[in-house]
Amino acid sequence: QVQLVESGGGLVQAGGSLRLSCAASERTFRNYYMGWFRQAPGKEREFVATISRSATVTTYAGSVKGRFTISRDNAMNTVNLHMNNLEPEDTAVYYCAANIVGGTSAIQYNAWGQGTQVTVSS
């Protein structure tokens, strides 16, 4: 089972930027679709962005489209989420996830990181 570790979360003012990173332990990382999800207190875990194995296809939730960018480096076994123009509504724990096939539903993913907290102040 691939192990994932997120980093880069923190506290930022509205309008600021953060870059989240996810490091994978699996040498076959390039065979996985990768996704970012987030979960705010009292809410369901929701889709943020996904990226295909060769980074040819990306998808974004409507709430982050145009502000967030997902990318990956298969040689380094990493996936990133560049978050720009952050809003207080973006406050959540952000999770990196992996699966053999792509999708935007959390239940489709079978490997998860521990999460990293992103807090956006007004």
Side-chain angles (χ1 to χ4, degrees), residues 16-31:
S17 300
L18 285 174
R19 178 180 180 270
L20 306 184
S21 295
C22 174
S25 63
E26 176 61 53
R27 66 180 182 275
T28 60
F29 172 79
R30 66 177 65 250
N31 294 326

Side-chain angles (χ1 to χ4, degrees), residues 36-92:
W36 285 96
F37 294 79
R38 66 187 183 186
Q39 187 167 19
K43 301 189 69 176
E44 292 288 316
R45 189 169 300 184
E46 67 175 0
F47 155 72
V48 175
T50 63
I51 187 167
S52 63
R53 290 170 290 181
S54 296
T56 55
V57 178
T58 57
T59 59
Y60 297 91
S63 59
V64 307
K65 188 175 298 183
R67 299 190 297 120
F68 293 7
T69 301
I70 188 171
S71 62
R72 68 189 297 164
D73 186 339
N74 289 338
M76 297 295 294
N77 290 352
T78 58
V79 61
N80 306 120
L81 185 68
H82 298 263
M83 309 165 68
N84 298 315
N85 194 25
L86 285 161
E87 304 170 349
E89 292 74 19
D90 295 317
T91 295

